[in-house]
Amino acid sequence: MKHFTACFLILFISVFIQAQKLESPDKNLTLSFLLNEKGEAYYRLKYKNKDVVKSSKLGFLISSPTSFAESFKITNTQFSSSDTSWNPVLGEQKTIRDNHNEMLISLQQAKTGYQLNIRFRLFNDGLGFRYEFPIQKDLRHFRIDEELSEFNLAQNCKAFWIPADYDTNEFRITTSRISEISSLIETARDEPLAAKAPSKNLAVQTPLMLKADNGLYINIHEAALVDYPAMHLNVDDKNYKLSTHLTPNKNGEKAYIQTQMNTPWRTIVVSDDARDILASKLILNLNDPSKIEDTSWIKPTKYIGVWWEYFTGGGSTWAYSDNQDIIIGETDYTRLKPNQHHGANTQHVKEYIDFAAENGFDAILVEGWNEGWEDNWAYGKEKIYSFTKAYPDFNVEELQAYAKAKGIKIIMHHETTSSAADYERQLDDAFSFMNKYGYTAVKTGYVGPIIPRSEYHDGQWMVNHYNFVAQKAAQYKIMVNSHEAVRPTGRSRTYPNWIAQESARGTEFESFNGNNPDHTTILPFTRLMGGPMDYTPGIFQGDLSVYGKNKARLSTTLVKQLALYVTLYSPLQMAADLPENYKKHMDAFQFIKDVAADWDNTYILEAEPGDYITIARKAKNKNEWFVGGITDENERTATINLSFLPKGRNFEAIIYEDGKNADWKTSTIDYKINKQKVSSATILKKRLAPSGGIGISIKEIK
Amino acid sequence: MKHFTACFLILFISVFIQAQKLESPDKNLTLSFLLNEKGEAYYRLKYKNKDVVKSSKLGFLISSPTSFAESFKITNTQFSSSDTSWNPVLGEQKTIRDNHNEMLISLQQAKTGYQLNIRFRLFNDGLGFRYEFPIQKDLRHFRIDEELSEFNLAQNCKAFWIPADYDTNEFRITTSRISEISSLIETARDEPLAAKAPSKNLAVQTPLMLKADNGLYINIHEAALVDYPAMHLNVDDKNYKLSTHLTPNKNGEKAYIQTQMNTPWRTIVVSDDARDILASKLILNLNDPSKIEDTSWIKPTKYIGVWWEYFTGGGSTWAYSDNQDIIIGETDYTRLKPNQHHGANTQHVKEYIDFAAENGFDAILVEGWNEGWEDNWAYGKEKIYSFTKAYPDFNVEELQAYAKAKGIKIIMHHETTSSAADYERQLDDAFSFMNKYGYTAVKTGYVGPIIPRSEYHDGQWMVNHYNFVAQKAAQYKIMVNSHEAVRPTGRSRTYPNWIAQESARGTEFESFNGNNPDHTTILPFTRLMGGPMDYTPGIFQGDLSVYGKNKARLSTTLVKQLALYVTLYSPLQMAADLPENYKKHMDAFQFIKDVAADWDNTYILEAEPGDYITIARKAKNKNEWFVGGITDENERTATINLSFLPKGRNFEAIIYEDGKNADWKTSTIDYKINKQKVSSATILKKRLAPSGGIGISIKEIK
């Protein structure tokens, strides 16, 4: 039963017979497009004359067994330049500049006559390229069996990676050399997650952050993921070659294409200064402008929620009863025996509303308000929840009236347990229900494997689903915060109502098996490259054993939790802990109450992936600044240069610092707060505890 | 590379250690339930002491590798009887009697403790049984890998069968012995159909009609198919054993079950008189009563349509333009160049409305009214059609006003090209659109392979889809006529707005590669056992070469086309031919104008599957009777006993007969019409041409 396979490794140097070049506006980046004697297409990217990616293939395998990757000839090349700016509805800065040079290569394949265009855009901070399938005579609908785009690294870079998985991105992030990935990937995959579909081969997810020994920081991701599967990256750990691994459906089909469609942009952000990676707006720039004309209803939102109490081990449940023989639409909930520990009951929700109103929050999220939580068996049944029927002890009208009187919005919750098919069926009814009762935002959730059962979270079908939900929500003037969805690719520019996503390992994991202390020093370089994250920080009580049997402990100090409101950008920010914990530390809580969620400007002061990040931001339309600094498991001294403040004026800074004994392992709640006069000339040197942080709020003294 | 497989054929006689018996009300049928020493469950059915099915297994394979088919013990047995009657909203008779004896067997599996109930209902015309999964402690959600129900025939019966296929039921019907199926199945499968997914093994579809040499007629099907895949039948052609073959999804998963669900009923209709099979209401009786309270809007409908002209080869098209680079929601149709042969244009539709109004029809169907037909590439893209945007030359408001003024309804058309996922997304909008413009009925279509791509037409997901559409339509007071859907199982009792389906080889095939002359003598014994069929008869011009290059010829005489309005029951009846053809034969057309579509009573006068059928029916609430008789490729003399007419009264019959030279091969339009006085004592002997027919309308002479 043994098979002999003859392996020949052919090493050859391609002879490139056609080439085109493009430079970035600042001329630091050079992109070459090359065609070899077989008509195979390649590109190469250099930054300040250093290789970012070496010659890397372009093309496709389409409707098996056609290679759409050879016998190309260039039929046309067009160059153009653009320097514009635009204002995001919500964002890290008021105005974003889009300055790039473009090259559009038109190819034709000799053997088939098929046409393929490749559009390259070179910015000062990196490259975006995408494939365009023009309308043509002999090709209209086809299936992509694989996209062949490569990213051939010049070196054995240090990588900040999570393993490729078609269903989840909630892994811890591993830091290693490319060459070490294969020895570490099984450990990385060994996480108890609700749905997992690991790639069979050695592959990792994007956004992938890389650091080369020559000092280059390289980030690979994609922009404007629409009607196409998410890209993972195959890893050739011997030659440091990365290549595209599109998420398939369960039939192995990858993408269905109709000519006139484009792929998403493949993005490479690059610099020799890590801060430039965080400052990059390349991915947003590659997305289409907002398709929503009136955006007045899209608002930055700070919220608390009936949420963390479900994770603490304190006994509160999403479910209203313990009866699990539920059939949605048939079970009469008023006849069920309540379990007496249902979190989302009217009285309890009012307490949250009171606390939100007293402390200046915009909204509260209520999970567990709707029928179905008793029997939310993923993949076992399609109709899991009703999105229009509240539990008997959750009075929709009463609570809406109560919240409205106190100026608080209630955020709707649509956990689908990944029965996306049934969610689509209910979507119009669900959004109409929200409109009727005055809900203006929804948190969606996709825990567990997907129904329809051919699909994965990251495949073309689900990508269309998430986009469809955002689009449909926009019609109803509803903001969307999606959890467990495919990681973002800047679509929040086009649908600014899609204000945040989770799509990475968030705070909830602090209540199970924990996050690494360096987790949030990497996320801005990986997950957040695609868009805002609803990380839900703000946990003050880091020792969960106070609630009962849960032995979990937070991986940061309290002050680092404060700093995350600045370092992890999101226009939607939760104060995730229980009100009772905030009430014990109202002085520290003041930072969360004060901090903005929408910004005029952002200043990346210090950054090294996996080690530390210090960021300052100016609140939108206000003379208020906030600084957040965090470190990994090592203590450090942050150098905070306040030169971003207007010159010649005086300011008061409130500084929230780790206490002397603060340490994520032993003492998370140790903090100190003091006030200090500062100016644009001030340079603060501040010690951060192991997995500690610093938070500063600054106002002008008049 | 060879594998040795040791095959042992173990023949053993099961020793049954527990048994329960049930008799039909008339005691002709006896059902035995048996448990052998391994705790395996069996049933056996006898009719007048002849075996209908010999000992046949019951049970399941559940969430692999658990056998839920052994180590059973009986924990309880309950007997009950019922004799009631009910009135269908639309039907073959005003009142339907439901007289049965019932036995509910409660089983428990020793090794697992799992409980399983089997409910048997024995009627005078056959057996229904289903599995019920009661709520229990240790079993809640599970997956069925196969249902093991067997139907072990006593003999090598003659079978009227189509090959098992998860995606289509549009095959010709083959007539053969069970033992001959394997040699004929490849030929039977060799049909060019838009979507095909043949079973890998020897299997056929239900309803399966069988005739045994001992004179028994046996029909195997199912009733009340809800949230479960359609049943096919594996064929053991050596031992004449049939066994359940549930339609899988593409992952091989068959059914997802939550305890408290039931399977559909497995039905065996049996008699020694073929007419009893056609008269049976067993399948309807096993469905739930109507869930629609106000059914006043559900109406029998006779209609014509902008439809057949798309099949004739005359050049009319569904598509408005020849541009195939359509993207729904983006393409601006007003900018496209019209192809000038779009059928559903306002002026042309008005001509149909005029003709419908002049001839007393209720409605016209218009296909090709909506955006998307240019590029309706099945499986290649999800968004194929808009169901709310009409083509530029189809004026919705103008046509609705025009039709309304003439008392005509326009039937909506929703071809999905099997992108069921996208149809569900649009469904609320589509039905709201219909409500807004006064459409009260929709023809749905499912040509091509299914999206979501895990699914087949007959799997659990799509079964749920069809039921969902019918249910949702009921909310909007819309009647549904579904084409290419899973074959019906009596659900029209529960959702009487689901007034008809195609789900078999219909008239449209007369325009491609034809139907067999015996086709419609079998359909009532197979496809129609589950519910009304929108067969779309009434083709007068049987020679399609008159239109152009199409060389197809009708497989029946003109008079047989008339007879089908009586022999193929449906409350929705189309006169499918072009108005111009009816105008040439207004005398024959009179039968179609007169014939009812809803009935007080039905009399099966003569019937032999594959050979002939003669049926008489009394129109609902009218003293009018209609008789239809058809034959296969052989001419025959029908004996039409009018004893169903009220005694002692006089009637006039208009008799539509095949002409002397009528023959489906040479002369289809040869017919004669004459009037005759008749009474309940009249017995007519009438010659039917090869693939000919007879139609009679009868009114009282006052």
Side-chain angles (χ1 to χ4, degrees), chain B residues 328-329 331 333 369-374 384-386 389-392:
Chain B
I328 290 298
T331 300
Y333 268 83
W369 70 278
N370 60 326
E371 291 185 2
W373 288 89
E374 288 78 3
I384 303 174
Y385 303 98
S386 166
K389 287 195 77 183
Y391 277 137

mmCIF file with all atom_site columns, all heavy atoms in Angstrom, chain B residues 328-329 331 333 369-374 384-386 389-392:
data_model
loop_
_atom_site.group_PDB
_atom_site.id
_atom_site.type_symbol
_atom_site.label_atom_id
_atom_site.label_alt_id
_atom_site.label_comp_id
_atom_site.label_asym_id
_atom_site.label_entity_id
_atom_site.label_seq_id
_atom_site.pdbx_PDB_ins_code
_atom_site.Cartn_x
_atom_site.Cartn_y
_atom_site.Cartn_z
_atom_site.occupancy
_atom_site.B_iso_or_equiv
_atom_site.pdbx_formal_charge
_atom_site.auth_seq_id
_atom_site.auth_comp_id
_atom_site.auth_asym_id
_atom_site.auth_atom_id
_atom_site.pdbx_PDB_model_num
ATOM 1   N N   . ILE B 1 328 ? -27.375 42.486 -10.620 1.00 0.00 ? 328 ILE B N   1
ATOM 2   C CA  . ILE B 1 328 ? -28.655 42.924 -10.065 1.00 0.00 ? 328 ILE B CA  1
ATOM 3   C C   . ILE B 1 328 ? -28.422 43.987 -8.994  1.00 0.00 ? 328 ILE B C   1
ATOM 4   O O   . ILE B 1 328 ? -27.598 43.804 -8.105  1.00 0.00 ? 328 ILE B O   1
ATOM 5   C CB  . ILE B 1 328 ? -29.423 41.710 -9.481  1.00 0.00 ? 328 ILE B CB  1
ATOM 6   C CG1 . ILE B 1 328 ? -29.891 40.806 -10.609 1.00 0.00 ? 328 ILE B CG1 1
ATOM 7   C CG2 . ILE B 1 328 ? -30.620 42.156 -8.643  1.00 0.00 ? 328 ILE B CG2 1
ATOM 8   C CD1 . ILE B 1 328 ? -30.854 41.446 -11.594 1.00 0.00 ? 328 ILE B CD1 1
ATOM 9   N N   . GLY B 1 329 ? -29.145 45.061 -9.109  1.00 0.00 ? 329 GLY B N   1
ATOM 10  C CA  . GLY B 1 329 ? -28.992 46.152 -8.154  1.00 0.00 ? 329 GLY B CA  1
ATOM 11  C C   . GLY B 1 329 ? -28.030 47.210 -8.663  1.00 0.00 ? 329 GLY B C   1
ATOM 12  O O   . GLY B 1 329 ? -28.014 48.329 -8.172  1.00 0.00 ? 329 GLY B O   1
ATOM 13  N N   . THR B 1 331 ? -26.922 47.149 -12.455 1.00 0.00 ? 331 THR B N   1
ATOM 14  C CA  . THR B 1 331 ? -27.193 47.391 -13.869 1.00 0.00 ? 331 THR B CA  1
ATOM 15  C C   . THR B 1 331 ? -28.442 48.272 -14.035 1.00 0.00 ? 331 THR B C   1
ATOM 16  O O   . THR B 1 331 ? -29.483 48.004 -13.454 1.00 0.00 ? 331 THR B O   1
ATOM 17  C CB  . THR B 1 331 ? -27.422 46.049 -14.594 1.00 0.00 ? 331 THR B CB  1
ATOM 18  O OG1 . THR B 1 331 ? -26.252 45.250 -14.450 1.00 0.00 ? 331 THR B OG1 1
ATOM 19  C CG2 . THR B 1 331 ? -27.726 46.268 -16.061 1.00 0.00 ? 331 THR B CG2 1
ATOM 20  N N   . TYR B 1 333 ? -31.179 49.036 -16.252 1.00 0.00 ? 333 TYR B N   1
ATOM 21  C CA  . TYR B 1 333 ? -31.836 48.421 -17.407 1.00 0.00 ? 333 TYR B CA  1
ATOM 22  C C   . TYR B 1 333 ? -32.326 49.433 -18.423 1.00 0.00 ? 333 TYR B C   1
ATOM 23  O O   . TYR B 1 333 ? -32.445 49.118 -19.604 1.00 0.00 ? 333 TYR B O   1
ATOM 24  C CB  . TYR B 1 333 ? -32.990 47.534 -16.946 1.00 0.00 ? 333 TYR B CB  1
ATOM 25  C CG  . TYR B 1 333 ? -32.557 46.110 -16.726 1.00 0.00 ? 333 TYR B CG  1
ATOM 26  C CD1 . TYR B 1 333 ? -31.962 45.701 -15.533 1.00 0.00 ? 333 TYR B CD1 1
ATOM 27  C CD2 . TYR B 1 333 ? -32.697 45.158 -17.733 1.00 0.00 ? 333 TYR B CD2 1
ATOM 28  C CE1 . TYR B 1 333 ? -31.538 44.405 -15.340 1.00 0.00 ? 333 TYR B CE1 1
ATOM 29  C CE2 . TYR B 1 333 ? -32.273 43.855 -17.556 1.00 0.00 ? 333 TYR B CE2 1
ATOM 30  C CZ  . TYR B 1 333 ? -31.700 43.479 -16.368 1.00 0.00 ? 333 TYR B CZ  1
ATOM 31  O OH  . TYR B 1 333 ? -31.274 42.193 -16.194 1.00 0.00 ? 333 TYR B OH  1
ATOM 32  N N   . TRP B 1 369 ? -41.013 38.940 -16.430 1.00 0.00 ? 369 TRP B N   1
ATOM 33  C CA  . TRP B 1 369 ? -41.392 40.342 -16.168 1.00 0.00 ? 369 TRP B CA  1
ATOM 34  C C   . TRP B 1 369 ? -40.302 41.109 -15.440 1.00 0.00 ? 369 TRP B C   1
ATOM 35  O O   . TRP B 1 369 ? -40.303 42.328 -15.423 1.00 0.00 ? 369 TRP B O   1
ATOM 36  C CB  . TRP B 1 369 ? -42.673 40.382 -15.309 1.00 0.00 ? 369 TRP B CB  1
ATOM 37  C CG  . TRP B 1 369 ? -42.413 39.920 -13.903 1.00 0.00 ? 369 TRP B CG  1
ATOM 38  C CD1 . TRP B 1 369 ? -42.360 38.628 -13.460 1.00 0.00 ? 369 TRP B CD1 1
ATOM 39  C CD2 . TRP B 1 369 ? -42.102 40.745 -12.773 1.00 0.00 ? 369 TRP B CD2 1
ATOM 40  N NE1 . TRP B 1 369 ? -42.041 38.603 -12.122 1.00 0.00 ? 369 TRP B NE1 1
ATOM 41  C CE2 . TRP B 1 369 ? -41.890 39.889 -11.673 1.00 0.00 ? 369 TRP B CE2 1
ATOM 42  C CE3 . TRP B 1 369 ? -41.994 42.134 -12.568 1.00 0.00 ? 369 TRP B CE3 1
ATOM 43  C CZ2 . TRP B 1 369 ? -41.557 40.356 -10.405 1.00 0.00 ? 369 TRP B CZ2 1
ATOM 44  C CZ3 . TRP B 1 369 ? -41.661 42.600 -11.299 1.00 0.00 ? 369 TRP B CZ3 1
ATOM 45  C CH2 . TRP B 1 369 ? -41.450 41.714 -10.237 1.00 0.00 ? 369 TRP B CH2 1
ATOM 46  N N   . ASN B 1 370 ? -39.371 40.361 -14.847 1.00 0.00 ? 370 ASN B N   1
ATOM 47  C CA  . ASN B 1 370 ? -38.452 41.011 -13.889 1.00 0.00 ? 370 ASN B CA  1
ATOM 48  C C   . ASN B 1 370 ? -36.986 40.950 -14.319 1.00 0.00 ? 370 ASN B C   1
ATOM 49  O O   . ASN B 1 370 ? -36.579 40.099 -15.112 1.00 0.00 ? 370 ASN B O   1
ATOM 50  C CB  . ASN B 1 370 ? -38.605 40.366 -12.507 1.00 0.00 ? 370 ASN B CB  1
ATOM 51  C CG  . ASN B 1 370 ? -38.294 38.872 -12.505 1.00 0.00 ? 370 ASN B CG  1
ATOM 52  O OD1 . ASN B 1 370 ? -38.568 38.184 -13.477 1.00 0.00 ? 370 ASN B OD1 1
ATOM 53  N ND2 . ASN B 1 370 ? -37.734 38.389 -11.425 1.00 0.00 ? 370 ASN B ND2 1
ATOM 54  N N   . GLU B 1 371 ? -36.213 41.836 -13.741 1.00 0.00 ? 371 GLU B N   1
ATOM 55  C CA  . GLU B 1 371 ? -34.795 41.957 -14.086 1.00 0.00 ? 371 GLU B CA  1
ATOM 56  C C   . GLU B 1 371 ? -34.010 40.692 -13.765 1.00 0.00 ? 371 GLU B C   1
ATOM 57  O O   . GLU B 1 371 ? -34.180 40.093 -12.713 1.00 0.00 ? 371 GLU B O   1
ATOM 58  C CB  . GLU B 1 371 ? -34.168 43.115 -13.294 1.00 0.00 ? 371 GLU B CB  1
ATOM 59  C CG  . GLU B 1 371 ? -34.657 44.475 -13.725 1.00 0.00 ? 371 GLU B CG  1
ATOM 60  C CD  . GLU B 1 371 ? -33.921 45.620 -13.014 1.00 0.00 ? 371 GLU B CD  1
ATOM 61  O OE1 . GLU B 1 371 ? -33.009 45.342 -12.215 1.00 0.00 ? 371 GLU B OE1 1
ATOM 62  O OE2 . GLU B 1 371 ? -34.269 46.769 -13.283 1.00 0.00 ? 371 GLU B OE2 1
ATOM 63  N N   . GLY B 1 372 ? -33.135 40.308 -14.658 1.00 0.00 ? 372 GLY B N   1
ATOM 64  C CA  . GLY B 1 372 ? -32.197 39.238 -14.350 1.00 0.00 ? 372 GLY B CA  1
ATOM 65  C C   . GLY B 1 372 ? -32.109 38.114 -15.354 1.00 0.00 ? 372 GLY B C   1
ATOM 66  O O   . GLY B 1 372 ? -31.157 37.330 -15.322 1.00 0.00 ? 372 GLY B O   1
ATOM 67  N N   . TRP B 1 373 ? -33.068 38.004 -16.259 1.00 0.00 ? 373 TRP B N   1
ATOM 68  C CA  . TRP B 1 373 ? -33.117 36.825 -17.122 1.00 0.00 ? 373 TRP B CA  1
ATOM 69  C C   . TRP B 1 373 ? -31.961 36.738 -18.108 1.00 0.00 ? 373 TRP B C   1
ATOM 70  O O   . TRP B 1 373 ? -31.665 35.657 -18.613 1.00 0.00 ? 373 TRP B O   1
ATOM 71  C CB  . TRP B 1 373 ? -34.456 36.791 -17.867 1.00 0.00 ? 373 TRP B CB  1
ATOM 72  C CG  . TRP B 1 373 ? -35.587 36.452 -16.957 1.00 0.00 ? 373 TRP B CG  1
ATOM 73  C CD1 . TRP B 1 373 ? -36.351 37.319 -16.222 1.00 0.00 ? 373 TRP B CD1 1
ATOM 74  C CD2 . TRP B 1 373 ? -36.070 35.141 -16.641 1.00 0.00 ? 373 TRP B CD2 1
ATOM 75  N NE1 . TRP B 1 373 ? -37.271 36.625 -15.478 1.00 0.00 ? 373 TRP B NE1 1
ATOM 76  C CE2 . TRP B 1 373 ? -37.126 35.290 -15.720 1.00 0.00 ? 373 TRP B CE2 1
ATOM 77  C CE3 . TRP B 1 373 ? -35.694 33.858 -17.055 1.00 0.00 ? 373 TRP B CE3 1
ATOM 78  C CZ2 . TRP B 1 373 ? -37.821 34.202 -15.196 1.00 0.00 ? 373 TRP B CZ2 1
ATOM 79  C CZ3 . TRP B 1 373 ? -36.393 32.776 -16.547 1.00 0.00 ? 373 TRP B CZ3 1
ATOM 80  C CH2 . TRP B 1 373 ? -37.451 32.946 -15.629 1.00 0.00 ? 373 TRP B CH2 1
ATOM 81  N N   . GLU B 1 374 ? -31.331 37.874 -18.383 1.00 0.00 ? 374 GLU B N   1
ATOM 82  C CA  . GLU B 1 374 ? -30.226 37.859 -19.344 1.00 0.00 ? 374 GLU B CA  1
ATOM 83  C C   . GLU B 1 374 ? -29.086 36.968 -18.866 1.00 0.00 ? 374 GLU B C   1
ATOM 84  O O   . GLU B 1 374 ? -28.372 36.363 -19.650 1.00 0.00 ? 374 GLU B O   1
ATOM 85  C CB  . GLU B 1 374 ? -29.678 39.279 -19.543 1.00 0.00 ? 374 GLU B CB  1
ATOM 86  C CG  . GLU B 1 374 ? -30.583 40.216 -20.320 1.00 0.00 ? 374 GLU B CG  1
ATOM 87  C CD  . GLU B 1 374 ? -31.724 40.766 -19.487 1.00 0.00 ? 374 GLU B CD  1
ATOM 88  O OE1 . GLU B 1 374 ? -31.793 40.468 -18.278 1.00 0.00 ? 374 GLU B OE1 1
ATOM 89  O OE2 . GLU B 1 374 ? -32.570 41.472 -20.050 1.00 0.00 ? 374 GLU B OE2 1
ATOM 90  N N   . ILE B 1 384 ? -29.356 36.573 -8.791  1.00 0.00 ? 384 ILE B N   1
ATOM 91  C CA  . ILE B 1 384 ? -29.664 36.384 -10.204 1.00 0.00 ? 384 ILE B CA  1
ATOM 92  C C   . ILE B 1 384 ? -30.788 37.309 -10.649 1.00 0.00 ? 384 ILE B C   1
ATOM 93  O O   . ILE B 1 384 ? -30.735 37.897 -11.713 1.00 0.00 ? 384 ILE B O   1
ATOM 94  C CB  . ILE B 1 384 ? -30.034 34.910 -10.463 1.00 0.00 ? 384 ILE B CB  1
ATOM 95  C CG1 . ILE B 1 384 ? -28.889 34.003 -10.002 1.00 0.00 ? 384 ILE B CG1 1
ATOM 96  C CG2 . ILE B 1 384 ? -30.337 34.688 -11.945 1.00 0.00 ? 384 ILE B CG2 1
ATOM 97  C CD1 . ILE B 1 384 ? -29.185 32.526 -10.075 1.00 0.00 ? 384 ILE B CD1 1
ATOM 98  N N   . TYR B 1 385 ? -31.813 37.403 -9.814  1.00 0.00 ? 385 TYR B N   1
ATOM 99  C CA  . TYR B 1 385 ? -32.995 38.180 -10.191 1.00 0.00 ? 385 TYR B CA  1
ATOM 100 C C   . TYR B 1 385 ? -33.323 39.228 -9.131  1.00 0.00 ? 385 TYR B C   1
ATOM 101 O O   . TYR B 1 385 ? -33.036 39.033 -7.947  1.00 0.00 ? 385 TYR B O   1
ATOM 102 C CB  . TYR B 1 385 ? -34.231 37.278 -10.297 1.00 0.00 ? 385 TYR B CB  1
ATOM 103 C CG  . TYR B 1 385 ? -34.087 36.124 -11.255 1.00 0.00 ? 385 TYR B CG  1
ATOM 104 C CD1 . TYR B 1 385 ? -33.752 34.858 -10.785 1.00 0.00 ? 385 TYR B CD1 1
ATOM 105 C CD2 . TYR B 1 385 ? -34.301 36.303 -12.616 1.00 0.00 ? 385 TYR B CD2 1
ATOM 106 C CE1 . TYR B 1 385 ? -33.617 33.790 -11.655 1.00 0.00 ? 385 TYR B CE1 1
ATOM 107 C CE2 . TYR B 1 385 ? -34.174 35.234 -13.490 1.00 0.00 ? 385 TYR B CE2 1
ATOM 108 C CZ  . TYR B 1 385 ? -33.830 33.971 -13.014 1.00 0.00 ? 385 TYR B CZ  1
ATOM 109 O OH  . TYR B 1 385 ? -33.699 32.929 -13.875 1.00 0.00 ? 385 TYR B OH  1
ATOM 110 N N   . SER B 1 386 ? -33.983 40.259 -9.555  1.00 0.00 ? 386 SER B N   1
ATOM 111 C CA  . SER B 1 386 ? -34.714 41.110 -8.618  1.00 0.00 ? 386 SER B CA  1
ATOM 112 C C   . SER B 1 386 ? -36.171 40.676 -8.659  1.00 0.00 ? 386 SER B C   1
ATOM 113 O O   . SER B 1 386 ? -36.728 40.455 -9.737  1.00 0.00 ? 386 SER B O   1
ATOM 114 C CB  . SER B 1 386 ? -34.619 42.578 -9.020  1.00 0.00 ? 386 SER B CB  1
ATOM 115 O OG  . SER B 1 386 ? -35.584 43.319 -8.288  1.00 0.00 ? 386 SER B OG  1
ATOM 116 N N   . LYS B 1 389 ? -38.174 44.461 -9.162  1.00 0.00 ? 389 LYS B N   1
ATOM 117 C CA  . LYS B 1 389 ? -37.943 45.415 -10.254 1.00 0.00 ? 389 LYS B CA  1
ATOM 118 C C   . LYS B 1 389 ? -38.349 44.813 -11.592 1.00 0.00 ? 389 LYS B C   1
ATOM 119 O O   . LYS B 1 389 ? -37.796 43.815 -12.040 1.00 0.00 ? 389 LYS B O   1
ATOM 120 C CB  . LYS B 1 389 ? -36.476 45.851 -10.287 1.00 0.00 ? 389 LYS B CB  1
ATOM 121 C CG  . LYS B 1 389 ? -36.152 46.811 -9.130  1.00 0.00 ? 389 LYS B CG  1
ATOM 122 C CD  . LYS B 1 389 ? -34.839 47.536 -9.353  1.00 0.00 ? 389 LYS B CD  1
ATOM 123 C CE  . LYS B 1 389 ? -34.982 48.662 -10.369 1.00 0.00 ? 389 LYS B CE  1
ATOM 124 N NZ  . LYS B 1 389 ? -33.685 49.319 -10.629 1.00 0.00 ? 389 LYS B NZ  1
ATOM 125 N N   . ALA B 1 390 ? -39.321 45.456 -12.209 1.00 0.00 ? 390 ALA B N   1
ATOM 126 C CA  . ALA B 1 390 ? -39.806 45.002 -13.512 1.00 0.00 ? 390 ALA B CA  1
ATOM 127 C C   . ALA B 1 390 ? -38.889 45.512 -14.614 1.00 0.00 ? 390 ALA B C   1
ATOM 128 O O   . ALA B 1 390 ? -38.199 46.518 -14.458 1.00 0.00 ? 390 ALA B O   1
ATOM 129 C CB  . ALA B 1 390 ? -41.211 45.516 -13.738 1.00 0.00 ? 390 ALA B CB  1
ATOM 130 N N   . TYR B 1 391 ? -38.917 44.804 -15.718 1.00 0.00 ? 391 TYR B N   1
ATOM 131 C CA  . TYR B 1 391 ? -38.209 45.295 -16.900 1.00 0.00 ? 391 TYR B CA  1
ATOM 132 C C   . TYR B 1 391 ? -38.821 46.632 -17.357 1.00 0.00 ? 391 TYR B C   1
ATOM 133 O O   . TYR B 1 391 ? -39.997 46.899 -17.099 1.00 0.00 ? 391 TYR B O   1
ATOM 134 C CB  . TYR B 1 391 ? -38.356 44.278 -18.032 1.00 0.00 ? 391 TYR B CB  1
ATOM 135 C CG  . TYR B 1 391 ? -37.374 43.125 -17.987 1.00 0.00 ? 391 TYR B CG  1
ATOM 136 C CD1 . TYR B 1 391 ? -37.793 41.819 -18.230 1.00 0.00 ? 391 TYR B CD1 1
ATOM 137 C CD2 . TYR B 1 391 ? -36.016 43.338 -17.756 1.00 0.00 ? 391 TYR B CD2 1
ATOM 138 C CE1 . TYR B 1 391 ? -36.902 40.754 -18.229 1.00 0.00 ? 391 TYR B CE1 1
ATOM 139 C CE2 . TYR B 1 391 ? -35.106 42.281 -17.754 1.00 0.00 ? 391 TYR B CE2 1
ATOM 140 C CZ  . TYR B 1 391 ? -35.544 40.996 -17.992 1.00 0.00 ? 391 TYR B CZ  1
ATOM 141 O OH  . TYR B 1 391 ? -34.659 39.964 -18.001 1.00 0.00 ? 391 TYR B OH  1
ATOM 142 N N   . PRO B 1 392 ? -38.020 47.444 -18.027 1.00 0.00 ? 392 PRO B N   1
ATOM 143 C CA  . PRO B 1 392 ? -38.512 48.766 -18.441 1.00 0.00 ? 392 PRO B CA  1
ATOM 144 C C   . PRO B 1 392 ? -39.781 48.696 -19.295 1.00 0.00 ? 392 PRO B C   1
ATOM 145 O O   . PRO B 1 392 ? -40.583 49.633 -19.284 1.00 0.00 ? 392 PRO B O   1
ATOM 146 C CB  . PRO B 1 392 ? -37.345 49.347 -19.261 1.00 0.00 ? 392 PRO B CB  1
ATOM 147 C CG  . PRO B 1 392 ? -36.136 48.587 -18.823 1.00 0.00 ? 392 PRO B CG  1
ATOM 148 C CD  . PRO B 1 392 ? -36.613 47.227 -18.410 1.00 0.00 ? 392 PRO B CD  1
#
